[in-house]
Amino acid sequence: MTIPDPRKSRAVLIGIDDYAHADLPAMPAAAAGARHLAGLLRDPSVWGLAEEHVTVIGSTAPVEQVLGAVRDAALGAEDTLVVYFAGHGLRDRSERLYLALTAADADYPQIGTLPYLQLRDVIRQSGYRAKHRVTVLDCCYSGIAGGMSSDAAPTRTELARALEEPEDSSGEGDDQEGTEDRYGDCVLTSAPPTRRSFVLQGARFPEFTGELIDILETGIPGADVTVSLETTWRRVHNRMRRRGSPEPQQFAQNAVTHHLHLRNRAVPFGPEPADEPETSSQQAPGPDSWDSGGTDLTVTWQATVDAQRPPSPDPTTTRTPKQPGHERRSSRLCVPGAPATLFDSRDAPLHSVAFNPSGTLLASASEDGTVRLWELATQKCVRSLSHQVVNPWAKPLAEVLAFNPRFSAALSVAFSPDGTDLAVGNGDGTISLWDVADGSETVLPYLDGTQWNGSVASVCFSPTDAMLAGTYDAPAIRLWDVATRTSMATLATGDAHWVAQVAFSPCGQVLASASGNGNPNNTVNDGLLQLWDTSSGAEIATLTETNSPAGQPLAFSSDGKTLASLRSDGRITLWDIAARKTSATITGPSAGVTCVAFGHNGVLAGGFLDGTVTLWNTVSSRSIAVLTTGTNSAVSSLAFSPDGAFLASATRKLTVWPLATDRARVLGPDHRDTLNARAVGAINLGKAGEHAEAARLLAEVAADRARVLGPDHPDTLNARGDHASNVGGTGEHAEAARLHAELAADRARVLGPDHYSTLLTRHHHAWEVGEAGEHAESARLYAELASDSARVLGPDHRDTLNARAVGAINLGKAGEHAEAARLLAEVAADRARVLGPDHPDTLNARGDHASNVGGTGEHAEAARLHAELAADRARVLGPDHYSTLLTRHHHAWEVGEAGEHAESARLYAELASDSARVLGPDHRDTLNARAVGAINLGKAGEHAEAARLLAEVAADRARVLGRDHLDTLNARSFSDRWSE
């Protein structure tokens, strides 16, 4: 998604810190927030507005100067206009909002203030050429602006006519049928109409502004290279709501918050392409990334520590090289494109979506009982189906609906294998079979009166024959012969809980069922995950006890080898069907997984309570993308099209993402879109861990781009950078360093030595030099980069601080621990001043400082520093967070190095217990904690107990890692030593 053109965009930021009236206290945080936001908007890693296109106004400006600055900026904005105000907000008896300037009178809001209506009118009238007009208000009662903004929000054509300006003659304006008007206003406010806004005690910025700054400054890990204003606002809203603060409000026209994107600092960007920017995999690999809460299928300590920490102090542990043998993925990769919203149900949320076998139709089921058929090519509804509710109760339907609002809902949809029938599970307990061609309905008969107890939670067709499976609010599954509309069999689960969903394997021979319905009063084990033989109706196996949520907790992979099951606590388990055992567990990037679906090539989609969708590559155990549905409502259902080209999601909106297209055939092999698709696909292949194949593909893309676009085109340079990064990912760090050095020289020649992309490439070069073992040289390169970054970006820019930190870490790896400790202490202090003492970057620098203090031999001091850091990380991140556990490992290690072996053994025993609970007893770091604790016990003189414990560790390592693994051999060696 492109960001607004910085050359055609303007921003005015107003921060009022001084007030004359006694009842309006000074607000230095307001002016500080305006200045800081201005710096971020000018920063090319966020937006890149020119200095002259950002106006900052303080307390000395009268209302005429403020409005004049807004007018001038609005007249110059052809893309996006941003107007920000922070200060006191006042309201009158008519509930009108006034923005308080320095001379404001708290008792008479009309005096010394800027009336919001006046500001709004100037923005609208002067900014008629701007595509996006965003007003951000951080003041008390700011939510009043929503009601004052909602009247007569004109379209571009209407406003042009009203002002007698030239109309849009491009043929792409408001009147073109089927074209979305992407012109629009947006007002973001810090509080509802009746609530005050606050500056938290000791904070540098107002609360709302501070959250905005934090997200713009640090980015959103795991998100795309750009982040929409909608996603940013939703993060701010959720954070403040969880704290019990006034909830920010959003008032937007034409989904402007979805169209407006800024760069995501968690994914550093490359050179700006001429038209459509390409997602780049070149993320700065410094010491900051390890604390970002990655989205691997399982938490992996060792890979994270190896990436930016000194080697593990565990003498029984050696690094294991990456093993070959990952399944080769198809070149038709899962690359999400821009989503399309087919339907916004608003008051009637959607419960289920399904594609027909040809992928041409999409069915959606709504709370109001309506089932709609959508033609994917035109994105239009071609048929609406409404079931006549069957009411068996001796009560009026209105009373039944009052007791059970879902009694009239359509809850589940599924197409037959030939696409002629659509099955619908209804809230009244019936199953409807709709003829897709003529819209006629057949209701399957009831055979058991107990089925009237509730709804049909799930329906699905066997992919190989005309068998339909349905689940009722009962511990049983009914199998139907679709041809005869008669019941074939009833499968009794033997469990007391209702069946939430059924799913056929692709071969049709196995039916999976999950029971529990996710009742919050039940435990996570209140239900069963079962496999059934569809030919005999016999149970094949009960995989586990699990409480599954209602909706869509089951999904088979396209090859039928893997089953994904969702538990009521949001944990996704992948099952090896042949072995009948767990193969992986997914916890997701955020809480509240609600549904799952499998696509092609091992791609798994998970929907979340916050309206987001995450895609994982289950082959490589990596996340691929995080998608935003544009609503805060839970994702109730997901469906991949049969060819894997589209993903549909159901919230209160029906959203469809394109995932793959045959661009070379349609557009030609040298079309820029084709080359971009190849590049992004290869980048995602690298993110999935297949660096060698990604490097090969990116080398081809770079060569083709050089031939088609030229060797100095930004796209060509981007591909070279991504190629070099993936070469480094294969372990060929010296070669990667050489490639990055050549690219840095070319970027300096083409873009200039001070361009952000040149500096970023120098970072990658210095990093790979360090990874190649040349730590002293890496430290020297980083020192030069930090100096240039401070001059170009500023000494407090995050990239400057990062270069200083990584350089110091490499200095420590070169053996210069005392100097590294001194430099890292300075970085930690500067990060605490700029980012805050609890920011992950600050905590990281403190950890690196403590480790280098230990490297000087000052183990007691290092232990003290790690203990303090562990306490702070437990307070900020939680006691079970990976970084907290890791810091406890370093603390226990330094205690042992200081000679306190018995105390170290005690600390490691506690850590091993917590690690087993959080990560699992067979996790490598749980085994490491047990091993190092036992070694310290032996050093304390408890040789027999140490030998016994190490023998147990050796046995467990042999079982988990293999008998000949070096960790196993080392543990056995230490055990034998103390057994003698």
PDB file of all heavy atoms in Angstrom, residues 742-766:
ATOM      1  N   GLU A 742      28.949  -3.580  -1.814  1.00  0.00           N
ATOM      2  CA  GLU A 742      28.790  -3.108  -3.191  1.00  0.00           C
ATOM      3  C   GLU A 742      27.497  -2.315  -3.355  1.00  0.00           C
ATOM      4  O   GLU A 742      27.461  -1.279  -4.031  1.00  0.00           O
ATOM      5  CB  GLU A 742      28.804  -4.305  -4.144  1.00  0.00           C
ATOM      6  CG  GLU A 742      30.150  -5.015  -4.224  1.00  0.00           C
ATOM      7  CD  GLU A 742      30.094  -6.224  -5.141  1.00  0.00           C
ATOM      8  OE1 GLU A 742      28.974  -6.573  -5.598  1.00  0.00           O
ATOM      9  OE2 GLU A 742      31.158  -6.836  -5.403  1.00  0.00           O
ATOM     10  N   LEU A 743      26.415  -2.807  -2.725  1.00  0.00           N
ATOM     11  CA  LEU A 743      25.135  -2.108  -2.823  1.00  0.00           C
ATOM     12  C   LEU A 743      25.198  -0.753  -2.128  1.00  0.00           C
ATOM     13  O   LEU A 743      24.642   0.236  -2.633  1.00  0.00           O
ATOM     14  CB  LEU A 743      24.033  -2.966  -2.208  1.00  0.00           C
ATOM     15  CG  LEU A 743      22.630  -2.366  -2.190  1.00  0.00           C
ATOM     16  CD1 LEU A 743      22.151  -2.064  -3.612  1.00  0.00           C
ATOM     17  CD2 LEU A 743      21.651  -3.314  -1.501  1.00  0.00           C
ATOM     18  N   ALA A 744      25.865  -0.675  -0.987  1.00  0.00           N
ATOM     19  CA  ALA A 744      25.990   0.609  -0.283  1.00  0.00           C
ATOM     20  C   ALA A 744      26.704   1.629  -1.152  1.00  0.00           C
ATOM     21  O   ALA A 744      26.314   2.806  -1.210  1.00  0.00           O
ATOM     22  CB  ALA A 744      26.719   0.407   1.042  1.00  0.00           C
ATOM     23  N   ALA A 745      27.743   1.167  -1.851  1.00  0.00           N
ATOM     24  CA  ALA A 745      28.467   2.085  -2.748  1.00  0.00           C
ATOM     25  C   ALA A 745      27.570   2.555  -3.884  1.00  0.00           C
ATOM     26  O   ALA A 745      27.560   3.746  -4.241  1.00  0.00           O
ATOM     27  CB  ALA A 745      29.715   1.395  -3.285  1.00  0.00           C
ATOM     28  N   ASP A 746      26.779   1.649  -4.457  1.00  0.00           N
ATOM     29  CA  ASP A 746      25.893   2.032  -5.556  1.00  0.00           C
ATOM     30  C   ASP A 746      24.764   2.936  -5.076  1.00  0.00           C
ATOM     31  O   ASP A 746      24.365   3.871  -5.776  1.00  0.00           O
ATOM     32  CB  ASP A 746      25.328   0.781  -6.229  1.00  0.00           C
ATOM     33  CG  ASP A 746      26.373   0.060  -7.066  1.00  0.00           C
ATOM     34  OD1 ASP A 746      27.390   0.686  -7.407  1.00  0.00           O
ATOM     35  OD2 ASP A 746      26.169  -1.133  -7.371  1.00  0.00           O
ATOM     36  N   ARG A 747      24.219   2.658  -3.911  1.00  0.00           N
ATOM     37  CA  ARG A 747      23.167   3.529  -3.384  1.00  0.00           C
ATOM     38  C   ARG A 747      23.711   4.915  -3.050  1.00  0.00           C
ATOM     39  O   ARG A 747      23.027   5.922  -3.239  1.00  0.00           O
ATOM     40  CB  ARG A 747      22.514   2.885  -2.157  1.00  0.00           C
ATOM     41  CG  ARG A 747      21.450   1.855  -2.545  1.00  0.00           C
ATOM     42  CD  ARG A 747      20.755   1.242  -1.362  1.00  0.00           C
ATOM     43  NE  ARG A 747      19.498   0.612  -1.795  1.00  0.00           N
ATOM     44  CZ  ARG A 747      18.859  -0.346  -1.133  1.00  0.00           C
ATOM     45  NH1 ARG A 747      19.351  -0.793   0.013  1.00  0.00           N
ATOM     46  NH2 ARG A 747      17.731  -0.850  -1.601  1.00  0.00           N
ATOM     47  N   ALA A 748      24.929   4.978  -2.541  1.00  0.00           N
ATOM     48  CA  ALA A 748      25.535   6.285  -2.279  1.00  0.00           C
ATOM     49  C   ALA A 748      25.714   7.065  -3.571  1.00  0.00           C
ATOM     50  O   ALA A 748      25.502   8.284  -3.619  1.00  0.00           O
ATOM     51  CB  ALA A 748      26.878   6.104  -1.573  1.00  0.00           C
ATOM     52  N   ARG A 749      26.102   6.363  -4.646  1.00  0.00           N
ATOM     53  CA  ARG A 749      26.283   7.021  -5.939  1.00  0.00           C
ATOM     54  C   ARG A 749      24.955   7.479  -6.529  1.00  0.00           C
ATOM     55  O   ARG A 749      24.844   8.588  -7.051  1.00  0.00           O
ATOM     56  CB  ARG A 749      26.989   6.050  -6.903  1.00  0.00           C
ATOM     57  CG  ARG A 749      27.094   6.544  -8.337  1.00  0.00           C
ATOM     58  CD  ARG A 749      27.830   5.539  -9.204  1.00  0.00           C
ATOM     59  NE  ARG A 749      27.229   4.215  -9.152  1.00  0.00           N
ATOM     60  CZ  ARG A 749      26.145   3.864  -9.855  1.00  0.00           C
ATOM     61  NH1 ARG A 749      25.541   4.746 -10.632  1.00  0.00           N
ATOM     62  NH2 ARG A 749      25.666   2.637  -9.772  1.00  0.00           N
ATOM     63  N   VAL A 750      23.906   6.631  -6.435  1.00  0.00           N
ATOM     64  CA  VAL A 750      22.623   6.938  -7.067  1.00  0.00           C
ATOM     65  C   VAL A 750      21.770   7.852  -6.190  1.00  0.00           C
ATOM     66  O   VAL A 750      21.182   8.822  -6.679  1.00  0.00           O
ATOM     67  CB  VAL A 750      21.857   5.625  -7.361  1.00  0.00           C
ATOM     68  CG1 VAL A 750      20.464   5.927  -7.912  1.00  0.00           C
ATOM     69  CG2 VAL A 750      22.638   4.761  -8.339  1.00  0.00           C
ATOM     70  N   LEU A 751      21.702   7.548  -4.897  1.00  0.00           N
ATOM     71  CA  LEU A 751      20.784   8.261  -4.002  1.00  0.00           C
ATOM     72  C   LEU A 751      21.478   9.298  -3.140  1.00  0.00           C
ATOM     73  O   LEU A 751      20.817  10.201  -2.608  1.00  0.00           O
ATOM     74  CB  LEU A 751      20.071   7.254  -3.086  1.00  0.00           C
ATOM     75  CG  LEU A 751      19.298   6.135  -3.789  1.00  0.00           C
ATOM     76  CD1 LEU A 751      18.854   5.087  -2.767  1.00  0.00           C
ATOM     77  CD2 LEU A 751      18.105   6.697  -4.536  1.00  0.00           C
ATOM     78  N   GLY A 752      22.784   9.148  -2.967  1.00  0.00           N
ATOM     79  CA  GLY A 752      23.527  10.052  -2.101  1.00  0.00           C
ATOM     80  C   GLY A 752      23.959   9.340  -0.830  1.00  0.00           C
ATOM     81  O   GLY A 752      23.270   8.436  -0.339  1.00  0.00           O
ATOM     82  N   PRO A 753      25.091   9.731  -0.260  1.00  0.00           N
ATOM     83  CA  PRO A 753      25.605   9.037   0.928  1.00  0.00           C
ATOM     84  C   PRO A 753      24.728   9.211   2.160  1.00  0.00           C
ATOM     85  O   PRO A 753      24.800   8.396   3.082  1.00  0.00           O
ATOM     86  CB  PRO A 753      26.987   9.669   1.141  1.00  0.00           C
ATOM     87  CG  PRO A 753      26.893  11.001   0.467  1.00  0.00           C
ATOM     88  CD  PRO A 753      25.989  10.809  -0.707  1.00  0.00           C
ATOM     89  N   ASP A 754      23.897  10.275   2.183  1.00  0.00           N
ATOM     90  CA  ASP A 754      23.076  10.525   3.366  1.00  0.00           C
ATOM     91  C   ASP A 754      21.643  10.017   3.208  1.00  0.00           C
ATOM     92  O   ASP A 754      20.816  10.234   4.104  1.00  0.00           O
ATOM     93  CB  ASP A 754      23.040  12.029   3.679  1.00  0.00           C
ATOM     94  CG  ASP A 754      24.390  12.551   4.139  1.00  0.00           C
ATOM     95  OD1 ASP A 754      25.239  11.720   4.521  1.00  0.00           O
ATOM     96  OD2 ASP A 754      24.601  13.775   4.105  1.00  0.00           O
ATOM     97  N   HIS A 755      21.325   9.369   2.094  1.00  0.00           N
ATOM     98  CA  HIS A 755      19.977   8.837   1.928  1.00  0.00           C
ATOM     99  C   HIS A 755      19.750   7.721   2.947  1.00  0.00           C
ATOM    100  O   HIS A 755      20.651   6.961   3.283  1.00  0.00           O
ATOM    101  CB  HIS A 755      19.787   8.294   0.510  1.00  0.00           C
ATOM    102  CG  HIS A 755      18.365   7.998   0.152  1.00  0.00           C
ATOM    103  ND1 HIS A 755      17.721   6.842   0.522  1.00  0.00           N
ATOM    104  CD2 HIS A 755      17.446   8.725  -0.542  1.00  0.00           C
ATOM    105  CE1 HIS A 755      16.481   6.855   0.078  1.00  0.00           C
ATOM    106  NE2 HIS A 755      16.285   7.983  -0.577  1.00  0.00           N
ATOM    107  N   TYR A 756      18.502   7.631   3.420  1.00  0.00           N
ATOM    108  CA  TYR A 756      18.207   6.644   4.460  1.00  0.00           C
ATOM    109  C   TYR A 756      18.530   5.222   3.989  1.00  0.00           C
ATOM    110  O   TYR A 756      19.035   4.403   4.758  1.00  0.00           O
ATOM    111  CB  TYR A 756      16.740   6.738   4.862  1.00  0.00           C
ATOM    112  CG  TYR A 756      16.366   5.817   6.003  1.00  0.00           C
ATOM    113  CD1 TYR A 756      16.578   6.205   7.315  1.00  0.00           C
ATOM    114  CD2 TYR A 756      15.824   4.566   5.766  1.00  0.00           C
ATOM    115  CE1 TYR A 756      16.260   5.372   8.369  1.00  0.00           C
ATOM    116  CE2 TYR A 756      15.500   3.712   6.802  1.00  0.00           C
ATOM    117  CZ  TYR A 756      15.716   4.113   8.110  1.00  0.00           C
ATOM    118  OH  TYR A 756      15.406   3.281   9.145  1.00  0.00           O
ATOM    119  N   SER A 757      18.257   4.919   2.710  1.00  0.00           N
ATOM    120  CA  SER A 757      18.509   3.573   2.209  1.00  0.00           C
ATOM    121  C   SER A 757      20.001   3.267   2.166  1.00  0.00           C
ATOM    122  O   SER A 757      20.412   2.123   2.386  1.00  0.00           O
ATOM    123  CB  SER A 757      17.896   3.406   0.820  1.00  0.00           C
ATOM    124  OG  SER A 757      16.502   3.547   0.887  1.00  0.00           O
ATOM    125  N   THR A 758      20.820   4.273   1.892  1.00  0.00           N
ATOM    126  CA  THR A 758      22.269   4.074   1.931  1.00  0.00           C
ATOM    127  C   THR A 758      22.722   3.747   3.346  1.00  0.00           C
ATOM    128  O   THR A 758      23.513   2.817   3.572  1.00  0.00           O
ATOM    129  CB  THR A 758      22.988   5.334   1.427  1.00  0.00           C
ATOM    130  OG1 THR A 758      22.501   5.671   0.125  1.00  0.00           O
ATOM    131  CG2 THR A 758      24.490   5.111   1.366  1.00  0.00           C
ATOM    132  N   LEU A 759      22.209   4.507   4.314  1.00  0.00           N
ATOM    133  CA  LEU A 759      22.569   4.248   5.708  1.00  0.00           C
ATOM    134  C   LEU A 759      22.098   2.860   6.140  1.00  0.00           C
ATOM    135  O   LEU A 759      22.812   2.132   6.843  1.00  0.00           O
ATOM    136  CB  LEU A 759      21.950   5.324   6.616  1.00  0.00           C
ATOM    137  CG  LEU A 759      22.404   6.768   6.367  1.00  0.00           C
ATOM    138  CD1 LEU A 759      21.644   7.727   7.278  1.00  0.00           C
ATOM    139  CD2 LEU A 759      23.906   6.916   6.584  1.00  0.00           C
ATOM    140  N   LEU A 760      20.892   2.478   5.715  1.00  0.00           N
ATOM    141  CA  LEU A 760      20.370   1.172   6.084  1.00  0.00           C
ATOM    142  C   LEU A 760      21.230   0.047   5.508  1.00  0.00           C
ATOM    143  O   LEU A 760      21.504  -0.952   6.178  1.00  0.00           O
ATOM    144  CB  LEU A 760      18.931   1.032   5.595  1.00  0.00           C
ATOM    145  CG  LEU A 760      18.230  -0.306   5.895  1.00  0.00           C
ATOM    146  CD1 LEU A 760      18.128  -0.539   7.393  1.00  0.00           C
ATOM    147  CD2 LEU A 760      16.847  -0.333   5.262  1.00  0.00           C
ATOM    148  N   THR A 761      21.677   0.204   4.265  1.00  0.00           N
ATOM    149  CA  THR A 761      22.522  -0.821   3.652  1.00  0.00           C
ATOM    150  C   THR A 761      23.861  -0.914   4.372  1.00  0.00           C
ATOM    151  O   THR A 761      24.420  -2.012   4.537  1.00  0.00           O
ATOM    152  CB  THR A 761      22.734  -0.511   2.161  1.00  0.00           C
ATOM    153  OG1 THR A 761      21.462  -0.346   1.526  1.00  0.00           O
ATOM    154  CG2 THR A 761      23.485  -1.635   1.469  1.00  0.00           C
ATOM    155  N   ARG A 762      24.383   0.231   4.819  1.00  0.00           N
ATOM    156  CA  ARG A 762      25.623   0.191   5.604  1.00  0.00           C
ATOM    157  C   ARG A 762      25.410  -0.586   6.909  1.00  0.00           C
ATOM    158  O   ARG A 762      26.316  -1.271   7.392  1.00  0.00           O
ATOM    159  CB  ARG A 762      26.105   1.608   5.890  1.00  0.00           C
ATOM    160  CG  ARG A 762      26.643   2.330   4.660  1.00  0.00           C
ATOM    161  CD  ARG A 762      26.964   3.784   4.965  1.00  0.00           C
ATOM    162  NE  ARG A 762      27.927   3.914   6.055  1.00  0.00           N
ATOM    163  CZ  ARG A 762      28.230   5.070   6.638  1.00  0.00           C
ATOM    164  NH1 ARG A 762      27.631   6.193   6.236  1.00  0.00           N
ATOM    165  NH2 ARG A 762      29.102   5.117   7.630  1.00  0.00           N
ATOM    166  N   HIS A 763      24.233  -0.438   7.486  1.00  0.00           N
ATOM    167  CA  HIS A 763      23.909  -1.220   8.699  1.00  0.00           C
ATOM    168  C   HIS A 763      23.985  -2.712   8.395  1.00  0.00           C
ATOM    169  O   HIS A 763      24.591  -3.483   9.153  1.00  0.00           O
ATOM    170  CB  HIS A 763      22.519  -0.836   9.199  1.00  0.00           C
ATOM    171  CG  HIS A 763      22.041  -1.646  10.370  1.00  0.00           C
ATOM    172  ND1 HIS A 763      22.080  -1.185  11.656  1.00  0.00           N
ATOM    173  CD2 HIS A 763      21.517  -2.893  10.438  1.00  0.00           C
ATOM    174  CE1 HIS A 763      21.610  -2.124  12.476  1.00  0.00           C
ATOM    175  NE2 HIS A 763      21.247  -3.164  11.748  1.00  0.00           N
ATOM    176  N   HIS A 764      23.366  -3.129   7.304  1.00  0.00           N
ATOM    177  CA  HIS A 764      23.384  -4.540   6.941  1.00  0.00           C
ATOM    178  C   HIS A 764      24.808  -5.018   6.659  1.00  0.00           C
ATOM    179  O   HIS A 764      25.178  -6.151   7.017  1.00  0.00           O
ATOM    180  CB  HIS A 764      22.496  -4.782   5.727  1.00  0.00           C
ATOM    181  CG  HIS A 764      21.033  -4.757   6.046  1.00  0.00           C
ATOM    182  ND1 HIS A 764      20.382  -5.814   6.626  1.00  0.00           N
ATOM    183  CD2 HIS A 764      20.096  -3.793   5.878  1.00  0.00           C
ATOM    184  CE1 HIS A 764      19.106  -5.510   6.805  1.00  0.00           C
ATOM    185  NE2 HIS A 764      18.912  -4.294   6.356  1.00  0.00           N
ATOM    186  N   HIS A 765      25.596  -4.172   6.027  1.00  0.00           N
ATOM    187  CA  HIS A 765      26.988  -4.538   5.749  1.00  0.00           C
ATOM    188  C   HIS A 765      27.740  -4.763   7.061  1.00  0.00           C
ATOM    189  O   HIS A 765      28.407  -5.800   7.248  1.00  0.00           O
ATOM    190  CB  HIS A 765      27.656  -3.430   4.931  1.00  0.00           C
ATOM    191  CG  HIS A 765      29.136  -3.622   4.777  1.00  0.00           C
ATOM    192  ND1 HIS A 765      30.046  -2.592   4.983  1.00  0.00           N
ATOM    193  CD2 HIS A 765      29.865  -4.712   4.454  1.00  0.00           C
ATOM    194  CE1 HIS A 765      31.258  -3.049   4.792  1.00  0.00           C
ATOM    195  NE2 HIS A 765      31.186  -4.333   4.461  1.00  0.00           N
ATOM    196  N   ALA A 766      27.612  -3.819   7.984  1.00  0.00           N
ATOM    197  CA  ALA A 766      28.315  -3.943   9.258  1.00  0.00           C
ATOM    198  C   ALA A 766      27.834  -5.161  10.033  1.00  0.00           C
ATOM    199  O   ALA A 766      28.623  -5.861  10.683  1.00  0.00           O
ATOM    200  CB  ALA A 766      28.122  -2.670  10.088  1.00  0.00           C
TER     201      ALA A 766
END
